Amino acid sequence: MNMKRLIALALALVLSLALAACGSGAAPSPSASAPAESAPTESASAESDLDYVKGKGALVIGYTVYAPMNYTDDNGEFTGFDTELAKAVCEKLGVEPQFQEIVWETKEIELASKTIDCIWNGMTLDPEREANMACTVPYVKNAQVVVMKADADYADTSSLIGKSVCAEVGSAGETQILGNEETKPDANLAQADYVGKSVQTDCLMEVAAGTCDAAVLDMTLANAMIGEGTDYAGLKIVDELAVENYGVAFRQGSDVRDAVNEIFAELVADGSLGALADKYGLELAD
């Protein structure tokens, strides 16, 4: 076979292979003809907060040390009105209560991030909190009070102009002094030297030590912790500034709140909530 014939045969072979390759590429493969697998999407109905809590079998309760709501008694037992109430509610929900101490100032962040499932610690209800969290119906009455040494000279809040006044950071007491987007501060307290503390009991320590002239805090705590027979026998309530109500806060949109509201109604109806309030010297909300 001469050289020209060999070259011609080689070219023909190359051409036939090229055409075969083109033909196989033109026909869609089974995988190419099948519809593409869609990316996983969230279910149309997201898991409810109640399902989430029941699924893990526990309700994580954010609290700060605050007698008579959540505290450790002389026998070393963790107790209090809110502690006992939360346990009773969790029993009806079929979950275990898990109490987790928090920093009050960052309570909303911990709630939203699911570090805790609720804030159950004598939390004052106000428009801002009710707009940003799912809050229960009011269950206990409270007020903000001014606490000073028993021998302090006090007429009204004007007596505190230029004086040092402390409150828990992020509390209703702080709002009374500084105000917020919803409410104005007390005109006289706004002229005091404000000192923010991490917990309300620190405020009592400041006043007792004389490092602050007064504290603005919850009446429920003051009634339980100052006066004759307490560690703060030398302190007294000199003024009552604002009547308010306590509620429990859950994540915004949480259906746990609705379940707890139903249980609260049951506990009011059978008298057990009233009996618990009497035990701790509290008054139920209307």
Side-chain angles (χ1 to χ4, degrees):
M1 186 179 293
N2 60 34
M3 185 61 67
K4 288 183 178 182
R5 187 170 177 79
L6 284 173
I7 293 173
L9 286 172
L11 289 173
L13 180 60
V14 170
L15 181 59
S16 65
L17 290 173
L19 288 172
C22 289
S24 64
S29 66
S31 59
S33 61
E37 184 178 349
S38 58
T41 58
E42 294 184 3
S43 61
S45 176
E47 183 186 53
S48 76
D49 208 26
L50 184 58
D51 287 344
Y52 166 72
V53 168
K54 287 190 172 184
K56 62 180 180 173
L59 181 72
V60 183
I61 300 162
Y63 79 96
T64 61
V65 176
Y66 168 19
M69 310 311 279
N70 308 88
Y71 66 101
T72 301
D73 66 17
D74 293 338
N75 297 320
E77 180 183 355
F78 183 66
T79 187
F81 176 84
D82 274 341
T83 304
E84 288 198 45
L85 179 56
K87 288 179 178 178
V89 169
C90 284
E91 184 176 357
K92 286 182 174 289
L93 286 175
V95 298
E96 289 294 321
Q98 289 184 1
F99 294 92
Q100 181 166 314
E101 190 168 2
I102 59 173
V103 176
W104 192 250
E105 188 178 6
T106 59
K107 58 189 177 296
E108 290 92 345
I109 296 172
E110 295 204 50
L111 183 62
S113 65
K114 292 190 173 183
T115 303
I116 58 176
D117 296 315
C118 64
I119 303 164
W120 202 326
N121 187 223
M123 188 197 76
T124 300
L125 295 173
D126 62 33
E128 182 178 0
R129 286 172 178 168
E130 293 188 84
N132 294 312
M133 298 181 286
C135 299
T136 64
V137 295
Y139 65 101
V140 165
K141 286 183 179 179
N142 185 44
Q144 290 304 301
V145 295
V146 179
V147 172
M148 300 183 72
K149 286 188 174 180
D151 59 356
D153 183 18
Y154 182 88
D156 55 36
T157 53
S158 65
S159 301
L160 298 175
I161 294 174
K163 302 286 185 65
S164 57
V165 181
C166 60
E168 181 183 59
V169 174
S171 71
E174 182 185 68
T175 299
Q176 192 74 35
I177 298 168
L178 303 178
N180 59 21
E181 293 180 359
E182 301 292 335
T183 62
K184 294 181 180 179
D186 179 287
N188 294 322
L189 292 177
Q191 300 176 67
D193 180 17
Y194 172 61
V195 178
K197 305 301 294 184
S198 60
V199 292
Q200 294 193 75
T201 48
D202 285 352
C203 298
L204 295 178
M205 292 174 62
E206 292 280 349
V207 177
T211 48
C212 274
D213 295 299
V216 178
L217 38 71
D218 288 351
M219 179 179 66
T220 51
L221 179 138
N223 283 337
M225 296 198 67
I226 70 173
E228 187 177 351
T230 72
D231 292 338
Y232 298 102
L235 303 184
K236 68 175 182 178
I237 295 174
V238 298
D239 204 353
E240 186 174 308
L241 303 180
V243 177
E244 58 200 24
N245 289 311
Y246 286 160
V248 183
F250 296 88
R251 281 178 280 278
Q252 195 167 36
S254 174
D255 51 353
V256 183
R257 182 269 310 271
D258 301 327
V260 171
N261 276 341
E262 291 179 5
I263 295 172
F264 278 177
E266 294 172 10
L267 297 176
V268 169
D270 67 16
S272 55
L273 191 56
L276 187 61
D278 290 342
K279 176 181 178 179
Y280 286 97
L282 302 174
E283 184 178 351
L284 295 183
D286 296 328

